[in-house]
């Protein structure tokens, strides 16, 4: 809780959110920051426990058999909460917002420079929107300024594919290893 709430000095205070659609830019970013804190200060394996807990929040079905991720996309914000999906907002926006950043971090990771590119992206985001309210599209534009050629899945120098699936859609990453 403490690292999450401390992170709001950046995510929510220094950079605000434009509407309820963009609340994940505060809560998801703060939860991601809590994950970084766990990674930097905990024993090996504890960070895996952190991310496993977040994943379970996203996919665990409620009494109606509906998982928070099934309630709708991250971008719906507080409108995720309905009679049949109570608490879906907290159980999706915080953890999946954190996962969106972690996925971007991992996609941008370089063996030689580590997280340098991702850190530059986040610095640019804070610098560009300092004392302003940013939207999801504003954040996407910053991501696109920093994207590596390998992330240009559609050949248009945009991250539409990523945001369409994970922010505006209900996709969850899946990997299949063939040997």
């Amino acid at each position: 809780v403490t690292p999450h709430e401390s992170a709001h000095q950046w995510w929510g205070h220094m950079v605000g959110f434009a509407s309820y659609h963009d609340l994940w830019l505060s809560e998801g970013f703060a939860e991601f920051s809590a994950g970084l804190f766990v990674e930097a200060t905990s024993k090996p394996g504890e960070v895996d426990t952190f991310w496993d807990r977040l994943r379970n929040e996203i996919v665990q079905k409620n009494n109606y058999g509906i998982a928070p991720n099934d309630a709708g996309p991250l971008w719906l914000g507080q409108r995720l909460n309905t009679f049949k999906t109570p608490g879906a907002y907290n159980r999706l926006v915080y953890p999946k917002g954190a996962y969106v950043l972690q996925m971007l971090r991992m996609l941008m990771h370089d063996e030689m420079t580590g997280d340098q590119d991702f850190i530059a992206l986040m610095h640019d985001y804070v610098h560009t929107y300092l004392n302003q309210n940013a939207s999801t599209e504003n954040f996407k534009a910053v991501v696109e300024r920093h994207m590596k050629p390998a992330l240009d899945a559609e050949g248009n120098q945009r991250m539409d594919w990523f945001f369409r699936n994970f922010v505006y859609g209900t996709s969850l990453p899946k990997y299949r290893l063939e040997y």
Side-chain angles (χ1 to χ4, degrees):
V1 172
T2 302
H4 173 102
E5 295 306 329
S6 296
H8 278 305
Q9 67 182 314
W10 294 280
W11 321 123
H13 294 266
M14 289 178 72
V15 179
F17 49 92
S19 76
Y20 71 91
H21 287 296
D22 311 303
L23 207 53
W24 75 277
L25 298 172
S26 176
E27 298 301 351
F29 282 39
E31 194 69 3
F32 169 77
S33 298
L36 290 178
F37 177 81
V38 170
E39 184 178 316
T41 62
S42 301
K43 298 174 190 170
E46 288 183 26
V47 72
D48 293 336
T49 302
F50 174 86
W51 289 108
D52 288 345
R53 181 182 57 80
L54 293 190
R55 184 184 184 287
N56 287 336
E57 287 182 36
I58 296 167
V59 299
Q60 188 175 36
K61 296 185 183 297
N62 65 16
N63 294 339
Y64 294 101
I66 303 170
N69 197 65
D70 299 333
L74 171 67
W75 190 70
L76 280 181
Q78 295 170 338
R79 297 183 78 186
L80 292 162
N81 288 336
T82 69
F83 172 74
K84 290 193 174 185
T85 59
Y89 166 77
N90 285 348
R91 293 179 49 224
L92 183 71
V93 169
Y94 289 63
K96 191 170 183 184
Y99 257 105
V100 165
L101 285 182
Q102 181 70 351
M103 288 187 296
L104 287 170
R105 178 185 176 206
M106 293 296 104
L107 287 169
M108 296 179 78
H109 189 81
D110 182 270
E111 286 186 33
M112 300 297 287
T113 61
D115 289 333
Q116 181 178 331
D117 295 334
F118 178 76
I119 292 168
L121 178 156
M122 297 306 283
H123 279 250
D124 185 6
Y125 176 65
V126 170
H127 177 74
T128 301
Y129 294 100
L130 183 63
N131 298 320
Q132 298 178 56
N133 293 325
S135 70
T136 298
E137 285 298 307
N138 295 146
F139 177 65
K140 182 175 165 279
V142 174
V143 172
E144 290 170 348
R145 283 200 299 263
H146 292 268
M147 69 185 278
K148 295 179 173 191
L151 299 181
D152 194 4
E154 296 176 331
N156 59 4
Q157 298 175 340
R158 297 179 54 93
M159 291 291 287
D160 294 337
W161 66 272
F162 182 87
F163 281 78
R164 181 173 51 247
N165 285 310
F166 303 116
V167 176
Y168 298 122
T170 58
S171 294
L172 293 173
K174 294 180 186 178
Y175 295 96
R176 188 176 83 207
L177 179 63
E178 291 184 17
Y179 188 86

